[in-house]
Amino acid sequence: KLTPEVKQAMQDIISDTYEMFIKLVAESRKLDLEQVRKIADGRIYTGNQALKLGLIDEIGGEDEALQWLEKNKNINISNVKNVI
């Protein structure tokens, strides 16, 4: 069994990590911090839901992701496919 002090220490770490995650999502997706807090409650979203919420730019699979990397980040996807 965990002592109350250990439980609190663990909760503090979880809370701090959660706050860092919320801020990172809000910054990187250019979303309001409170909006992100409302949707970041642990649930899983479908691609369509995530798109509507602004959490993703588009829906696609591995091929689309690799094409995006090549187009937007100038990454040679033939090199990436060899790693995958």
Side-chain angles (χ1 to χ4, degrees), residues 61-82 84:
E62 181 180 325
D63 288 336
E64 291 82 6
L66 292 173
Q67 289 171 10
W68 183 89
L69 286 172
E70 186 172 55
K71 179 181 175 188
N72 296 295
K73 299 296 181 181
N74 297 317
I75 295 174
N76 184 341
I77 62 171
S78 61
N79 294 336
V80 175
K81 284 188 175 185
N82 291 334
I84 298 173

Side-chain angles (χ1 to χ4, degrees), residues 18-75:
Y18 175 76
E19 285 301 313
M20 288 172 38
F21 171 76
I22 296 295
K23 289 175 184 173
L24 178 66
V25 171
E27 281 180 27
S28 65
R29 301 306 304 171
K30 296 177 179 49
L31 298 171
D32 178 71
L33 189 60
E34 290 310 310
Q35 177 187 358
V36 175
R37 282 188 204 288
K38 289 178 186 175
I39 61 176
D41 59 4
R43 78 180 89 181
I44 297 171
Y45 293 103
T46 67
N48 287 326
Q49 291 170 323
L51 186 63
K52 288 177 186 173
L53 291 169
L55 297 174
I56 60 173
D57 296 324
E58 58 187 87
I59 297 173
E62 181 180 325
D63 288 336
E64 291 82 6
L66 292 173
Q67 289 171 10
W68 183 89
L69 286 172
E70 186 172 55
K71 179 181 175 188
N72 296 295
K73 299 296 181 181
N74 297 317
I75 295 174

